[in-house]
Amino acid sequence: MSRTGGTGLEAPATKRAKHTGKKHGLWPRSWMQMLRRVSQALFLGWFLGLLFAARELNAGDAERFDHFFFQIDPLIQIFTWFSARTLATFSLLAVGTLLVTVLLGRVFCGWMCPLGTLHHFFGWLGTRFRRPKDRLRAAAWTRAQNFKYFLLAALLVMALFGAHWIGIFDPISLLQRTFGTAVLPALQYALEDSSTAVYQADPQVGPLHATLLTEPAYQFTRDHVFTKARKAFLGGVTIFAVFLGILGLNFFRNRFWCRYICPTGALLGLFSRRPALRLKNDASACKQCDGCLLVCPAGAEPHHPGKYLPTECYACWNCVAACKFETIKFKFARPLRRTTEAKLDAKRRSVVTAAAAGVVGFLLLRVSPQAQGKTYNPVLIRPPGALPEREFLQRCLQCGLCMDVCPTNALHPAWTQAGLEGLWTPVLVPQHGFCEYACNLCGKVCPTQAIQALPMPEKKKVKIGMATFDTTRCLPYAYGRSCIVCEEHCPIPTKAIYFVETEVTLRDGAKPVLKQPRVDAELCIGCGICENKCVFEDRAAVRITSANETRHPQNQPILAGGAFSSVVADSYAP
Amino acid sequence: MTKGNDFMQHQTRRDFLGDSAKVCGAVSLGALTERGTAQAVPPAMSICRWGGVAEGADAVKTIATRLTEEAVKAVGGMASYVRQGDVVWIKPNIGWNRTPEQAANTNPDVVATLVRLCLEAGAKQVKVGDRPCHPADEAYKNSGIEAAARAAGAEVVLVDENRFRDTALGGERLKNWLLYPEIFESDVIIDVPIVKHHSLATATMCMKNLMGVAGGNRGQLHQDLPNCLADLTMFLKPKLCVLDAVRVMTAHGPVGGSLDDVKQLNVIAAGRDIVALDAFGAALLGHDPTQIETVKRGHERGLGEIDYKKIVPNEMSVT
């Protein structure tokens, strides 16, 4: 590291030395930067590894999924504890993260967070695209960086009221949801569709075929990288768009999301007001060249001796590496010791405003009748083992892990079905997939047990809804044709769909006897395979609604018990 | 590729002769038998019943393996059906995420034994696969077929939803349908169903098992199951059918789930006459084959003999 900076030192004419204006390149300029990048790569790799591992799970796997990233995330752990008012899902690893933060500052953001790593990369890319004259302005701290604390406070107030909306903003949840329901399915689609196009276009003449290359490659990715049956998610577009949006904001300000929005960063910022690891800028030696400012992705003000902001700093070491005069260094101090450094701007007025915003946000989520528990949405079918709606929402992180592991692509991120509070929470859409009878994966992977991990015999008894026949569409009722597809697929060992043989009159006067299906409400668990396999692809003639769901006694119209036998009379007959 | 050529011939003859079902049936029956008859014609059907003693954890495995071996031997041995260098597709029922004990899928040891016999007969490659109704990963794994077939030397193929091809069947009901090319382009198709109850067809066996080659919204086919199955059978022309009745599902099929609906009969039948085999399977479940529409239509379309006793099956007790 020979940076004894000849020219800069010998330019005393002006007080302020001019920074070189050079773009900072791809190659790290210090060992600490290198180490940080290795750490970032490892954690991102680990995150992706777990993501792919989840997609490979199948129902035979008894062991719980590894929730490492959810467990080290203090926002998830603490806020879920507050909103669900239970420590049941609390992980002590999050306390570890907080202790590390008290000692070392926001190293979680700078060295570990997988979303932070992506932002770091795109932020660097954004800097390279930025005009030199804009670079200093874009790198400087602005008051808007306090917005994230504002958001954190509002979310805290909401959580204390029992509204759990952190999953929308939490970086781990956000990345898990985005990769699981949008990025990976899109990638798989691209590979699958292009190889299918080659497969179909290949004329199969002569010994050499393009498919000799594309088919093994396609099959390898299908069997070992992605899922065998490709998934596509309702609402994946919005999730993808949000992700692209926040990545794009890096071209406006470096690590925009982390600097201005991320509530996890804000929480860690609160814990790093007086960390042990502090940046020291020697005021007497600093030439004020602003070289450190140019490379700071955090707006942590390394260039103002005495005004450095530890709450914003990711300890990324860019500034130390960039300083030509070696006046900036990280040094250890006694933690919690007061400093002269600028504090987080937390005036009483801001705190009160944030709290008020939290109350308003909470009310906004609870305005609708459904949110107040007055009505039940027929299409709001939750995965088996989901807690009653209010408790479910108090825990669900909208992370999409359940959607990722669901083998039939039945679970989708809700858009409007669950109200604003339930945005991107899992909802089962039978048109796209059914709840596989011998599968309890969603409960096994849920990081907060919003979906309970039920043993298989219990899971098979849980009702998530009930089937209803649309006799204006169902073939043996409406079109005089035989069809037993729903009954055939019904997984209940004694069949929840049964037949009543009925004579129907056709247009030509013929009177065939057809098997008309009915639902046995006692047996039907609402798995949705009947709706999924119905010959009607647009709107099935048998559909599941949330009625009879085990988790809501108020939503069970059918009085249980053997005193009443199911209807066999021809009340359906035209 | 011989199958494809036969199919083309079949098409032109069919066009030439017009839409007569009877003539068409006769022609296809000719096509069915003309290649299997190299030397003396072996029996068209065999029925093997277990008459021995098998105990312990491997009892069913022993029974299934022995019955399969003998049933195939009794119809001329695998060499009568598989030639040196053939690519064979074994088509079991792997429709459901169910265990072998639940008798919703073909017995894995029957499949494994067939794989071994094919390889012994000189097959270049033996592929095993089906298009399941349940998630493929789960069904392949929990049916036990994936592991057993792979151990016996087969390539277990995932029937990929993206590789079905719109195929001209030229059937009476099915003119075109999405079929899996890798299956019908194989030199030999061996159809290995399990005998089960089915609410529409009453019983599901060899002909119904061929539905697994069809893609798309095949629920539609149930609106005229007898003709659709006859069309599929005529197009696919399985060279050998092996009917697994080691365990049968007597009610709540074809998914089942309850062991109360499973009966262990210890029977395997094999042969070339798909209708006779289906008739026999129906009789095993206690039905009159002439009352079962799919079997009846198969007979009427000339795919085989509904009165299986008429073709004098090679019956034997196996120990």
Side-chain angles (χ1 to χ4, degrees):
Chain A
M1 297 286 129
S2 63
R3 272 185 285 103
T4 42
T7 52
L9 274 171
E10 293 148 15
T14 54
K15 187 179 175 265
R16 182 178 277 261
K18 200 167 161 49
H19 60 78
T20 59
K22 264 189 182 172
K23 296 169 182 177
H24 50 298
L26 183 63
W27 298 107
R29 284 180 283 187
S30 81
W31 285 110
M32 286 305 280
Q33 271 182 310
M34 179 70 98
L35 207 61
R36 188 248 304 155
R37 287 190 191 175
V38 169
S39 166
Q40 285 177 305
L42 284 177
F43 277 102
L44 181 62
W46 189 356
F47 179 83
L48 292 176
L50 289 179
L51 189 79
F52 280 106
R55 294 164 74 82
E56 295 262 307
L57 286 179
N58 64 47
D61 303 327
E63 69 271 44
R64 286 277 304 272
F65 180 70
D66 184 354
H67 292 121
F68 177 76
F69 283 91
F70 293 92
Q71 287 167 336
I72 61 169
D73 185 332
L75 182 76
I76 287 176
Q77 297 302 328
I78 294 172
F79 278 49
T80 307
W81 164 26
F82 286 164
S83 75
R85 298 176 189 98
T86 169
L87 272 167
T89 61
F90 191 80
S91 167
L92 283 174
L93 284 178
V95 179
T97 309
L98 292 179
L99 288 177
V100 167
T101 307
V102 167
L103 286 173
L104 306 176
R106 287 171 62 182
V107 286
F108 176 87
C109 307
W111 292 57
M112 295 163 82
C113 176
L115 184 63
T117 299
L118 291 179
H119 282 305
H120 205 98
F121 174 75
F122 279 92
W124 170 79
L125 208 61
T127 314
R128 303 197 42 103
F129 278 99
R130 203 163 286 136
R131 284 177 303 183
K133 62 172 185 150
D134 293 337
R135 283 191 201 136
L136 276 181
R137 198 168 46 84
W141 180 85
T142 58
R143 264 176 60 86
Q145 281 181 232
N146 283 339
F147 175 79
K148 60 180 176 293
Y149 301 102
F150 203 79
L151 179 64
L152 178 77
L155 287 172
L156 174 69
V157 171
M158 284 163 70
L160 290 172
F161 277 111
H164 190 236
W165 228 45
I166 55 157
I168 303 291
F169 301 98
D170 179 82
I172 303 299
S173 256
L174 190 153
L175 196 59
Q176 180 80 41
R177 173 175 66 235
T178 307
F179 269 61
T181 65
V183 176
L184 294 187
L187 273 177
Q188 187 172 2
Y189 174 77
L191 277 171
E192 191 178 287
D193 209 49
S194 46
S195 72
T196 302
V198 173
Y199 173 84
Q200 283 168 349
D202 189 11
Q204 300 282 347
V205 181
L208 289 173
H209 303 291
T211 48
L212 290 176
L213 287 172
T214 58
E215 285 302 279
Y218 161 62
Q219 281 171 17
F220 179 83
T221 56
R222 179 193 69 192
D223 296 348
H224 301 290
V225 182
F226 296 115
T227 49
K228 285 187 183 147
R230 181 173 51 79
K231 294 175 185 175
F233 294 89
L234 297 167
V237 181
T238 328
I239 291 169
F240 211 159
V242 167
F243 185 62
L244 291 178
I246 63 170
L247 286 186
L249 284 171
N250 285 299
F251 291 86
F252 175 59
R253 288 286 185 276
N254 216 342
R255 289 191 72 161
F256 184 98
W257 172 266
C258 316
R259 267 164 85 167
Y260 298 103
I261 301 171
C262 182
T264 302
L267 181 63
L268 295 175
L270 292 181
F271 279 82
S272 58
R273 295 177 70 178
R274 298 170 198 167
L277 186 71
R278 291 176 199 185
L279 193 71
K280 298 283 176 197
N281 190 347
D282 184 353
S284 59
C286 177
K287 302 290 174 199
Q288 302 197 358
C289 75
D290 290 341
C292 53
L293 173 64
L294 266 182
V295 295
C296 178
E301 304 279 282
H303 64 305
H304 282 165
K307 282 193 173 176
Y308 151 74
L309 301 167
T311 57
E312 307 302 306
C313 175
Y314 315 140
C316 73
W317 252 266
N318 275 358
C319 53
V320 180
C323 181
K324 291 188 295 183
F325 313 107
E326 297 186 343
T327 64
I328 298 185
K329 285 202 174 57
F330 274 105
K331 283 187 179 153
F332 278 102
R334 202 155 50 82
L336 304 182
R337 206 191 61 182
R338 272 194 172 282
T339 60
T340 55
E341 284 147 11
K343 287 184 300 181
L344 168 69
D345 174 32
K347 296 194 184 74
R348 192 168 59 184
R349 190 163 53 174
S350 335
V351 175
V352 170
T353 317
V359 173
V360 171
F362 167 74
L363 291 176
L364 198 64
L365 297 186
R366 294 288 168 83
V367 157
S368 75
Q370 187 186 330
Q372 293 172 8
K374 290 186 169 174
T375 56
Y376 297 92
N377 189 347
V379 294
L380 181 59
I381 301 159
R382 292 292 192 193
L387 293 169
E389 189 62 11
R390 177 55 56 79
E391 291 167 60
F392 177 83
L393 291 176
Q394 283 167 351
R395 289 194 185 195
C396 179
L397 289 168
Q398 295 116 315
C399 69
L401 249 176
C402 50
M403 307 167 204
D404 220 14
V405 298
C406 179
T408 67
N409 198 187
L411 296 176
H412 293 259
W415 183 237
T416 59
Q417 297 97 319
L420 192 57
E421 195 172 358
L423 178 69
W424 295 331
T425 55
V427 59
L428 191 137
V429 185
Q431 188 182 17
H432 299 282
F434 55 92
C435 181
E436 164 58 33
Y437 188 57
C439 174
N440 55 1
L441 275 176
C442 49
K444 274 184 184 162
V445 299
C446 180
T448 53
Q449 286 296 290
I451 311 169
Q452 301 282 294
L454 300 175
M456 199 70 88
E458 271 181 62
K459 183 268 163 184
K460 288 179 175 175
K461 287 184 209 143
V462 171
K463 295 179 178 177
I464 57 174
M466 184 170 62
T468 320
F469 278 99
D470 181 346
T471 56
T472 63
R473 286 169 83 80
C474 180
L475 299 185
Y477 290 97
Y479 299 101
R481 289 175 181 238
S482 64
C483 176
I484 46 82
V485 176
C486 50
E487 188 265 2
E488 174 181 52
H489 285 88
C490 178
I492 307 297
T494 47
K495 299 284 183 195
I497 295 178
Y498 61 96
F499 296 118
V500 175
E501 297 202 351
T502 310
E503 188 185 277
V504 298
T505 309
L506 302 184
R507 189 175 181 178
D508 61 6
K511 291 184 187 299
V513 173
L514 293 176
K515 291 180 165 176
Q516 293 183 336
R518 307 275 161 88
V519 177
D520 188 327
E522 300 257 339
L523 292 177
C524 181
I525 55 169
C527 74
I529 196 170
C530 48
E531 178 173 343
N532 186 257
K533 304 284 182 180
C534 178
V535 288
F536 284 95
E537 297 277 9
D538 59 341
R539 181 157 48 89
V542 54
R543 295 194 289 279
I544 308 298
T545 72
S546 62
N548 241 18
E549 55 184 341
T550 304
R551 65 191 190 123
H552 289 149
Q554 289 300 311
N555 192 23
Q556 294 168 7
I558 311 285
L559 185 61
F564 306 89
S565 66
S566 299
V567 178
V568 183
D570 53 352
S571 57
Y572 285 112
Chain B
M1 279 295 155
T2 50
K3 186 141 284 281
N5 294 338
D6 278 355
F7 166 59
M8 294 305 291
Q9 273 177 22
H10 177 70
Q11 274 286 67
T12 49
R13 278 182 224 162
R14 187 190 152 80
D15 291 340
F16 182 68
L17 291 171
D19 257 347
S20 159
K22 271 187 184 168
V23 176
C24 180
V27 170
S28 75
L29 188 64
L32 258 180
T33 47
E34 74 191 357
R35 277 178 293 128
T37 54
Q39 298 93 30
V41 183
M45 179 178 168
S46 66
I47 300 170
C48 292
R49 295 186 169 83
W50 181 250
V53 189
E55 279 170 355
D58 274 355
V60 178
K61 183 178 180 164
T62 313
I63 294 168
T65 309
R66 286 288 301 130
L67 285 174
T68 310
E69 287 169 352
E70 293 303 317
V72 173
K73 201 195 271 177
V75 287
M78 196 57 95
S80 315
Y81 304 93
V82 174
R83 287 169 305 191
Q84 204 76 26
D86 274 355
V87 175
V88 182
W89 188 289
I90 295 178
K91 164 64 184 77
N93 186 333
I94 328 178
W96 315 97
N97 180 12
R98 290 282 193 261
T99 60
E101 294 73 30
Q102 291 171 316
N105 303 308
T106 306
N107 187 304
D109 296 306
V110 172
V111 179
T113 309
L114 288 173
V115 172
R116 177 166 55 82
L117 294 177
C118 289
L119 291 171
E120 283 169 8
K124 186 172 76 183
Q125 195 179 20
V126 182
K127 299 177 184 179
V128 175
D130 187 14
R131 181 197 181 202
C133 299
H134 280 167
D137 265 357
E138 306 280 323
Y140 272 46
K141 188 172 154 200
N142 294 329
S143 66
I145 292 175
E146 182 172 27
R150 196 167 280 156
E155 185 196 338
V156 178
V157 182
L158 176 84
V159 173
D160 193 318
E161 287 296 320
N162 302 300
R163 293 294 177 266
F164 282 91
R165 190 181 289 156
D166 194 20
T167 311
L169 283 88
E172 202 165 279
R173 188 84 189 194
L174 293 182
K175 307 295 179 203
N176 277 283
W177 200 264
L178 286 171
L179 295 184
Y180 207 65
E182 205 177 338
I183 301 182
F184 66 75
E185 284 168 3
S186 305
D187 300 308
V188 180
I189 297 174
I190 301 181
D191 181 10
V192 198
I194 179 169
V195 178
K196 286 190 290 182
H197 163 260
H198 187 273
S199 51
L200 182 66
T202 314
T204 152
M205 292 150 311
C206 301
M207 284 166 69
K208 178 78 172 61
N209 188 41
L210 294 177
M211 283 265 274
V213 182
N217 185 0
R218 62 190 179 193
Q220 275 183 29
L221 307 186
H222 291 82
Q223 291 164 46
D224 187 6
L225 201 56
N227 278 314
C228 292
L229 291 184
D231 289 341
L232 267 177
T233 309
M234 279 184 147
F235 178 73
L236 293 168
K237 302 185 193 78
K239 265 194 169 180
L240 177 66
C241 302
V242 179
L243 190 69
D244 166 24
V246 176
R247 295 187 183 100
V248 298
M249 185 188 288
T250 56
H252 303 122
V255 200
S258 168
L259 297 184
D260 298 340
D261 298 330
V262 177
K263 236 159 94 181
Q264 193 171 339
L265 296 183
N266 293 338
V267 177
I268 285 185
R272 298 183 297 276
D273 190 325
I274 196 166
V275 178
L277 282 164
D278 277 5
F280 170 68
L284 271 183
L285 288 180
H287 302 296
D288 176 3
T290 59
Q291 296 303 306
I292 295 181
E293 286 296 325
T294 49
V295 185
K296 227 165 77 183
R297 194 63 53 86
H299 177 76
E300 287 163 8
R301 299 266 302 258
L303 292 169
E305 176 53 55
I306 195 165
D307 186 1
Y308 67 93
K309 285 179 181 145
K310 216 157 119 185
I311 61 169
V312 200
N314 194 353
E315 291 192 58
M316 62 183 71
S317 173
V318 176
T319 57

